[in-house]
């Protein structure tokens, strides 16, 4: 039996499209910030008495269809370790209720750590990152803390994450603005594939990301929060242009998303440097220097309830222990 705790991450240069859907190889590299505030803790036990894999998330047993991606990772672990037994997976997400924040990054990173250790494997962090990738692309990066690059590679062996700055030594902070949505969104998995196959801008996106990866690593080197924020904001808008330009076109934004974007722009026009990014949902995440936190909360609290603003510091990498 083993338990792992992994934190979620938010991409500053986004992953949006696969070159291999089975192995989850990305079209482009990406770069993220691991967050302290949001994490998943997962316990795995391989047990000869079990007659099927059991997956329990936040005290609810998943049906076969919902558990499919988890069972896929367990199958890979069984293959790697030579173990036959079925597994019991029990997972808890520390994400505010109804936040609509994706937890697949922390969930599949924690699963990779707990399942491989429970099966008696002792994988390097690089191999853990490769295993997490087989569950969900963004999980590849959640093995490491701080600022992390997922190098796209060309095959199963060379597509993994590397730390860019595990212990972030400058005052970058991220605020999640939790926007509720009732409407079911297009899943990232199908949304990104639709962008790859139908957006006429997809080739340009590859070039955008290649340039952004170089620029953001230079900005990180220089601890330049404004440059990092600017690159992240432009990159996010260009990623979302791939949703609008797909056929059929779609968007993850809702009216509140645009309200928050405008509020961030107003803050910036008023001399508070902050930048926005969005993922496969309506929530906005704001990037800024810690010293500006109160000014940002003060301005946003006029348009959204304070309990929907969650501040997070850069977070740590995966921790795994035997129970
Ligand atoms: C990212 N996102 O880089 C991008 C930006 C959302 C927007 O990775 O199909 O759950 O499991 O590999 O990782 C969300 O997609 O998709 C994602 P799969 P995943 O964080």
């Amino acid at each position: 039996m083993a338990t792992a705790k992994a934190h979620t991450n938010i991409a500053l240069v986004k992953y949006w499209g696969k070159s291999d859907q089975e192995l989850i190889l990305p079209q482009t590299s990406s770069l993220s910030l691991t967050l302290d505030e949001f994490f998943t803790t997962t316990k795995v036990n391989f047990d000869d008495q079990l007659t099927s894999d059991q997956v329990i998330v936040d005290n609810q047993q998943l049906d076969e269809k919902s558990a499919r991606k988890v069972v896929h990772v367990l199958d890979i672990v069984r293959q790697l370790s030579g173990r036959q037994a079925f597994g019991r997976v029990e997972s808890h997400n520390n994400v505010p209720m109804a936040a609509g924040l994706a937890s697949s990054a922390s969930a599949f990173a924690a699963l990779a750590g707990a399942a491989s250790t429970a099966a008696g494997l002792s994988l390097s962090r690089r191999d853990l990152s490769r295993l997490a990738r087989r569950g969900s692309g963004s999980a590849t990066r959640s093995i490491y803390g701080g600022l992390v690059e997922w190098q796209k590679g060309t095959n199963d062996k060379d597509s993994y994450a590397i730390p860019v700055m595990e212990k972030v030594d400058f005052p970058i902070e991220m605020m999640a603005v939790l926007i509720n949505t009732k409407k079911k969104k297009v899943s990232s998995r199908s949304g990104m594939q639709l962008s790859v196959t139908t957006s006429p801008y997809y080739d340009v996106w590859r070039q955008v990301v290649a340039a952004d990866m170089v620029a953001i690593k230079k900005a990180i080197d220089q601890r330049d929060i404004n440059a990092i924020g600017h690159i992240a904001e432009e990159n996010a808008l260009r990623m979302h242009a791939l949703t609008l330009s797909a056929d059929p076109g779609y968007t993850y934004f809702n009216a509140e998303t645009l309200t928050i974007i405008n509020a961030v722009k107003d803050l910036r026009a008023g001399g508070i440097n902050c930048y926005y990014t969005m993922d496969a949902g309506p929530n906005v995440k704001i990037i800024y220097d810690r010293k500006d936190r109160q000014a940002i909360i003060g301005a946003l609290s006029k348009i959204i309830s304070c309990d929907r603003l969650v501040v997070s510091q850069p977070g740590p990498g995966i921790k795994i222990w035997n129970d």
Side-chain angles (χ1 to χ4, degrees):
M1 194 186 289
T3 303
K5 178 181 178 186
H7 291 253
T8 197
N9 71 76
I10 300 296
L12 303 175
V13 175
K14 308 288 189 194
Y15 144 61
W16 198 248
K18 298 176 181 64
S19 57
D20 184 317
Q21 296 189 73
E22 163 60 25
L23 291 171
I24 312 198
L25 301 176
Q27 287 272 354
T28 59
S29 294
S30 55
L31 189 142
S32 59
L33 179 65
T34 299
L35 297 185
D36 199 31
E37 195 63 25
F38 308 113
F39 56 86
T40 302
T41 308
T42 298
K43 188 188 289 268
V44 176
N45 184 18
F46 287 100
D47 183 346
D48 292 323
Q49 308 295 318
L50 290 171
T51 53
S52 66
D53 289 320
Q54 285 178 15
V55 184
I56 297 135
V57 176
D58 294 329
N59 303 315
Q60 297 257 6
Q61 178 143 1
L62 300 190
D63 60 30
E64 206 179 315
K65 187 165 172 264
S66 315
R68 196 174 41 84
K69 289 185 197 171
V70 174
V71 170
H72 178 59
V73 173
L74 295 179
D75 283 340
I76 296 168
V77 168
R78 279 187 280 260
Q79 211 170 37
L80 288 171
S81 65
R83 287 200 63 144
Q84 305 291 328
F86 288 112
R88 183 185 149 86
V89 176
E90 197 176 340
S91 198
H92 293 277
N93 289 304
N94 190 72
V95 179
M97 287 295 286
L101 281 179
S103 55
S104 76
S106 52
F108 283 98
L111 177 66
S116 59
T117 306
L121 295 166
S122 184
L123 299 183
S124 65
R125 292 212 292 175
R126 176 178 294 183
D127 286 342
L128 275 177
S129 168
R130 291 174 50 231
L131 177 60
R133 193 198 76 228
R134 303 293 296 276
S136 184
S138 51
T140 312
R141 301 182 304 242
S142 270
I143 298 301
Y144 295 99
L147 291 152
V148 184
E149 175 180 0
W150 175 10
Q151 300 185 320
K152 68 179 168 122
T154 56
N155 58 51
D156 176 44
K157 288 226 158 18
D158 66 3
S159 183
Y160 50 78
I162 57 163
V164 172
M165 189 188 284
E166 271 230 88
K167 287 230 177 319
V168 177
D169 63 6
F170 59 102
I172 192 169
E173 200 168 90
M174 199 176 264
M175 189 186 302
V177 183
L178 307 178
I179 294 170
N180 284 325
T181 173
K182 294 260 174 338
K183 219 171 146 226
K184 200 182 169 329
K185 61 175 187 161
V186 180
S187 77
S188 324
R189 194 156 287 190
S190 57
M192 66 174 75
Q193 186 58 17
L194 192 66
S195 294
V196 173
T197 52
T198 67
S199 172
Y201 304 148
Y202 203 85
D203 274 340
V204 180
W205 168 248
R206 287 195 199 90
Q207 295 164 33
V208 163
V209 172
D212 285 351
M213 288 299 290
V214 174
I216 203 162
K217 282 190 270 184
K218 185 166 167 228
I220 290 167
D221 233 27
Q222 297 172 340
R223 278 90 172 144
D224 185 341
I225 296 174
N226 291 328
I228 294 168
H230 177 72
I231 294 161
E233 187 175 295
E234 293 294 313
N235 183 272
L237 288 172
R238 288 166 183 180
M239 182 211 109
H240 286 277
L242 297 174
T243 72
L244 295 172
S245 58
D247 182 7
Y250 61 101
T251 184
Y252 292 111
F253 296 179
N254 67 19
E256 261 192 293
T257 310
L258 297 176
T259 303
I260 302 300
I261 287 177
N262 286 328
V264 169
K265 284 186 177 172
D266 287 346
L267 271 160
R268 212 151 67 208
I272 305 288
N273 288 323
C274 52
Y275 304 85
Y276 57 84
T277 184
M278 288 77 54
D279 295 291
N283 295 315
V284 180
K285 293 96 185 180
I286 305 176
I287 302 151
Y288 55 93
D289 186 312
R290 192 186 300 147
K291 71 176 167 51
D292 294 322
R293 183 197 306 154
Q294 286 315 323
I296 296 167
I297 292 176
L300 292 183
S301 61
K302 295 193 183 104
I303 52 172
I304 192 163
S305 156
C306 275
D307 61 9
R308 303 238 238 124
L309 305 176
V310 185
V311 170
S312 184
Q313 307 298 321
I318 191 168
K319 288 188 181 59
I320 309 169
W321 59 96
N322 279 103
D323 293 284

